């Protein structure tokens, strides 16, 4: 039961990040200023991940 709950929480977090870090919103996301160093690193890593996924999608078309 806990595994299913963890899987759902991870999936929900993924979907929220995918929506928040949509490469189509890059100009909006670039305007965000994050002062916390760890949070800023997280933002850049997750944002880069979704940009790379979008690039792969475009290349594979």
């Amino acid at each position: 039961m806990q595994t299913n709950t963890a899987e759902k929480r991870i999936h929900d977090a993924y979907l929220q990040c995918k929506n928040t870090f949509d490469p189509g919103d890059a100009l909006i996301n670039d305007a965000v200023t994050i002062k916390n160093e760890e949070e800023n690193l997280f933002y850049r890593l997750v944002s880069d991940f979704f940009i790379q996924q979008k690039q792969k999608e475009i290349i594979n078309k």
Side-chain angles (χ1 to χ4, degrees), residues 23-52:
D25 292 337
L27 293 176
I28 294 169
N29 290 336
D30 286 345
V32 174
T33 302
I34 300 172
K35 293 184 170 100
N36 178 286
E37 187 176 330
E38 185 175 320
E39 195 173 328
N40 189 34
L41 177 60
F42 172 81
Y43 170 83
R44 288 183 311 188
L45 291 171
V46 174
S47 182
D48 286 349
F49 169 79
F50 286 109
I51 289 170
Q52 290 170 2

Side-chain angles (χ1 to χ4, degrees), residues 7-23:
E7 288 174 5
K8 182 177 178 352
R9 288 177 51 205
I10 290 168
H11 179 70
D12 289 347
Y14 167 78
L15 291 177
Q16 184 174 4
C17 284
K18 185 175 181 180
N19 185 47
T20 301
F21 297 101
D22 181 350

